[in-house]
Amino acid sequence: MPTMSHAPWWKSGVIYQIYLRSFQDSNGDGIGDVQGIIQRLDYLKWLGIDAVWVTPFYPSPMADFGYDVSDHTNIDPIFGTLADVDRLIQCLHDSNLKILVDFVAAHTSDQHPWFIESRSSPSNPKQDWYIWKDPTPEGGLPNNWIGRFDGLSAWEWEPKREQYYLHSFLKEQPDINWRSNGAKQAMLDVLHFWLQRGIDGIRVDAAYRALKDPQFRDNPVNPDWHPGMEPSDRLFEVFSKNIPEIHDYNRMLRSLVEKYDGDRLLMAELYKSLEEIVKHYGANDEFHLPLNSELMSSDCQWNAEYVREVVDRYERLLPEGAWPNWSLSNHDKHRVASRIGIAQARIGMMLLLTLRGTPTIYYGEELGMEDAWIPSEHIQDPWEIKAPGIGVGRDTERTPMLWDNSPHAGFCPESVPPWLPITYDYSHLHVKAQQQDSRSFLSLTRALLRLRRQHSVLQLGDYIALYSPSQLFCYRRFNENSELIIALNFSSEYQEWVLPIEFRHQSTVLLSTFMDRHGGKLGDILELRGNEGLVIQRCSQSSDTD
Ligand code: GLC
């Protein structure tokens, strides 16, 4: 078992995802920026997270809000300057915090100079940096692949070359050809650029899309597709993503990152089943942390049996030495408090911060922030615009961080509208109010983060599920010195649970999700109120605090 001294920081640490546009505006344009993060550093330190993952800050026409990069080694003026990012890295490091950035690997903006050159003629030095194909002999599209956002053809005609280019997302996001040596080298240089600047790791965006089937075969048709489903689900993306060769690509990225000292972290966005994501660890030579989206998927059923099955399946599937990741929401998925309700969101936070593995917290999740309703005239997300009304829109989970009770919640000055509106009553939800309330959601999140630091068993200890009634999920976290039990009531009803024998009359409550129960000796039976989660410690043990 790894001990604190030689486990890399990212195994014991907690990652906090900052959706840059929405965290803090420092220059009064209604859009969050890099200086804004620096201004909120004290909050991040106070909260007790270990690393921030910042979504793309690179120059971009913002067709997909920064996931359409037009210069990989600079900063969009909306967000600041390269000097600001250098300062951010420095300030975070001075505060003993790490920084992770997005590496948008599978596509660029159509305004990227590489693409402008590549599209200019069939013969130019970058002609193969993107995926170009001739029409079929009959004059048709190269194959049946469709775009993720609109479900329409993923091929766009370029008259200057008389060829089609591939775009897996918007037509403003042409796919990079990683099989071109020139493009590959240029992208790897981008990685070196950021690693040399001192970042502590990267999240590889759409990692599974970097390589395509060499023969560009048609994707099979999904016979069960019907209107109302996501447009791109009309096909099974067998040949356009996650092809077997992707593991060579993963290994290439890993070997590059390994050249740098200081335990740099290689995370990957996959949005795949657990069975699939575990393959992306390789033999400890692919990603350190393929991100696990199981508990944020729209298929996730929030009940004890379902969640327990997910946790146990993941633990079973993980290859030797592989480390888990847990997340409840992100900038592409609806906020957890909206999916499961605010009462259960507290259970979610306790689960997130007490399971074995590295947790990622999405900004605002520590407050119990919910999705916002976005009036149609304010809709920004290209996905919602392309596929309206079926629930794919992501503006809802990207609204400004709630700092205080002022008109724009302290995110931006009162005189400018924030880029997305705050359409709900946040008077009791904002940071300032919650900091003054010892039982608030924020106080719970912070207490859990503190507990993780005090009890190394929560950071690096083992996990085993315990037998419990169907509405409870109970598990043990243990190492050679210490044992904790986490008991989570997924129902709104009172529940009882007979404690394991060695905990009877020998255990005490460390923390309740209600923040009103601490200490005292427990008997044989553990009583949980509806929606309550508890962390319990065996009190005969010497404290594991460090
Ligand atoms: C990733 C990002 C998402 C973006 C997409 C296309 O999935 O997380 O926000 O829209 O890539 O770039």
Side-chain angles (χ1 to χ4, degrees):
M1 166 165 327
T3 62
M4 292 294 285
S5 50
H6 62 260
W9 66 267
W10 51 265
K11 283 196 173 172
S12 53
V14 176
I15 299 171
Y16 184 84
Q17 182 192 352
I18 292 183
Y19 189 69
L20 181 56
R21 289 182 79 84
S22 301
F23 194 60
Q24 178 66 59
D25 171 21
S26 76
N27 62 350
D29 61 359
I31 300 174
D33 46 47
V34 174
Q35 275 296 340
I37 305 180
I38 296 174
Q39 283 176 11
R40 293 296 183 181
L41 206 62
D42 282 347
Y43 171 74
L44 297 171
K45 285 195 275 181
W46 172 85
L47 185 60
I49 47 95
D50 300 273
V52 295
W53 150 30
V54 185
T55 55
F57 39 49
Y58 318 106
S60 163
M62 304 289 165
D64 191 18
F65 295 105
Y67 285 95
D68 49 325
V69 177
S70 56
D71 178 357
H72 292 92
T73 53
N74 218 326
I75 310 302
D76 195 285
I78 292 180
F79 298 132
T81 62
L82 206 46
D84 291 336
V85 170
D86 285 341
R87 219 177 122 230
L88 176 66
I89 297 173
Q90 192 59 52
C91 290
L92 288 167
H93 286 170
D94 289 348
S95 305
N96 212 14
L97 295 172
K98 308 283 185 191
I99 174 165
L100 310 167
V101 302
D102 254 287
F103 177 55
V104 187
H107 46 262
T108 68
S109 160
D110 64 345
Q111 300 306 308
H112 198 298
W114 300 345
F115 187 68
I116 293 174
E117 186 174 338
S118 189
R119 81 190 308 179
S120 65
S121 72
S123 56
N124 66 70
K126 298 191 176 51
Q127 59 81 23
D128 67 344
W129 283 34
Y130 293 83
I131 298 173
W132 293 100
K133 286 277 168 239
D134 292 328
T136 60
E138 302 75 42
L141 295 162
N143 65 19
N144 72 347
W145 295 359
I146 53 182
R148 178 82 182 100
F149 290 149
D150 57 11
L152 302 175
S153 174
W155 297 98
E156 186 71 16
W157 180 248
E158 172 51 66
K160 286 193 218 123
R161 287 184 60 142
E162 300 199 324
Q163 278 184 316
Y164 290 99
Y165 68 84
L166 180 70
H167 57 90
S168 298
F169 292 91
L170 299 170
K171 70 174 174 22
E172 292 83 3
Q173 294 170 292
D175 285 36
I176 295 178
N177 180 14
W178 275 87
R179 296 182 196 274
S180 143
N181 283 332
K184 179 170 101 183
Q185 201 43 58
M187 286 302 282
L188 297 183
D189 288 347
V190 167
L191 270 186
H192 283 299
F193 177 89
W194 288 106
L195 288 162
Q196 278 161 12
R197 268 197 130 75
I199 55 137
D200 302 287
I202 55 167
R203 166 196 181 260
V204 185
D205 181 69
Y208 50 90
R209 286 191 183 272
L211 293 180
K212 329 283 177 203
D213 175 43
Q215 296 159 53
F216 287 83
R217 282 170 281 183
D218 275 353
N219 278 325
V221 172
N222 175 0
D224 298 324
W225 185 87
H226 55 80
M229 283 172 70
E230 292 183 18
S232 64
D233 285 344
R234 279 198 293 121
L235 301 181
F236 294 117
E237 285 200 84
V238 175
F239 296 118
S240 47
K241 71 176 190 194
N242 206 31
I243 63 165
E245 266 179 279
I246 200 70
H247 298 284
D248 299 335
Y249 170 83
N250 297 348
R251 279 189 286 272
M252 173 180 70
L253 297 184
R254 174 68 176 264
S255 61
L256 186 152
V257 168
E258 296 283 309
K259 293 198 174 81
Y260 289 82
D261 58 5
D263 291 326
R264 313 288 177 109
L265 169 63
L266 190 61
M267 307 197 286
E269 175 199 42
L270 291 167
Y271 292 139
K272 297 255 129 238
S273 66
L274 292 172
E275 286 69 14
E276 204 42 54
I277 67 167
V278 294
K279 296 183 189 155
H280 291 256
Y281 290 96
N284 193 24
D285 57 357
E286 297 186 34
F287 296 116
H288 295 111
L289 213 54
L291 292 171
N292 164 13
S293 55
E294 201 70 14
L295 295 182
M296 57 172 105
S297 126
S298 51
D299 297 335
C300 172
Q301 294 163 35
W302 193 259
N303 63 62
E305 272 166 299
Y306 185 92
V307 173
R308 174 192 170 132
E309 191 281 329
V310 167
V311 177
D312 284 353
R313 183 154 44 95
Y314 188 29
E315 286 281 353
R316 236 182 5 255
L317 288 166
L318 282 165
E320 179 78 32
W323 189 249
N325 158 254
W326 293 104
S327 316
L328 298 173
S329 355
N330 69 19
H331 64 295
D332 293 330
K333 300 285 175 182
H334 292 302
R335 285 189 176 271
V336 63
S338 295
R339 285 188 278 115
I340 65 178
I342 190 72
Q344 278 295 309
R346 286 182 175 243
I347 297 291
M349 188 55 82
M350 186 170 269
L351 176 80
L352 180 70
L353 296 178
T354 59
L355 282 174
R356 193 177 81 98
T358 303
T360 45
I361 299 179
Y362 184 47
Y363 83 98
E365 201 167 86
E366 74 274 25
L367 307 173
M369 213 169 133
E370 297 188 22
D371 279 358
W373 165 74
I374 307 290
S376 52
E377 67 276 17
H378 287 292
I379 290 171
Q380 309 268 352
D381 180 23
W383 203 351
E384 179 65 28
I385 293 167
K386 302 275 176 194
I390 57 165
V392 291
R394 301 167 296 178
D395 294 330
T396 49
E397 62 263 23
R398 296 175 175 181
T399 54
M401 177 69 176
L402 306 170
W403 296 107
D404 60 37
N405 209 19
S406 62
H408 301 316
F411 165 72
C412 64
E414 294 179 20
S415 51
V416 286
W419 78 285
L420 282 172
I422 311 175
T423 51
Y424 51 88
D425 174 16
Y426 54 90
S427 51
H428 300 291
L429 215 55
H430 59 79
V431 170
K432 217 163 162 190
Q434 294 209 35
Q435 280 179 327
Q436 282 152 18
D437 173 359
S438 60
R439 295 182 183 177
S440 67
F441 202 111
L442 178 59
S443 296
L444 169 65
T445 307
R446 187 162 177 255
L448 281 162
L449 287 164
R450 206 168 37 228
L451 209 64
R452 283 179 65 92
R453 281 182 203 281
Q454 289 166 345
H455 297 267
S456 60
V457 67
L458 284 176
Q459 297 179 315
L460 295 170
D462 282 337
Y463 155 92
I464 192 159
L466 296 167
Y467 179 76
S468 49
S470 61
Q471 273 121 333
L472 294 184
F473 177 23
C474 302
Y475 48 95
R476 198 191 291 249
R477 297 295 313 277
F478 60 100
N479 60 23
E480 56 279 9
N481 311 312
S482 179
E483 253 186 302
L484 301 179
I485 284 180
I486 293 88
L488 303 173
N489 184 355
F490 278 69
S491 79
S492 53
E493 310 292 318
Y494 166 86
Q495 303 283 333
E496 287 182 351
W497 181 52
V498 183
L499 282 164
I501 194 149
E502 64 282 16
F503 274 75
R504 291 180 206 160
H505 302 278
Q506 304 197 47
S507 56
T508 185
V509 171
L510 287 181
L511 187 67
S512 158
T513 46
F514 292 136
M515 303 289 291
D516 59 354
R517 196 168 159 190
H518 181 263
K521 224 175 206 172
L522 294 167
D524 296 340
I525 310 275
L526 185 67
E527 298 180 287
L528 291 113
R529 289 164 284 177
N531 301 313
E532 184 174 31
L534 294 172
V535 180
I536 296 156
Q537 183 182 31
R538 272 182 70 184
C539 41
S540 56
Q541 298 170 290
S542 61
S543 171
D544 170 45
T545 50
D546 40 34

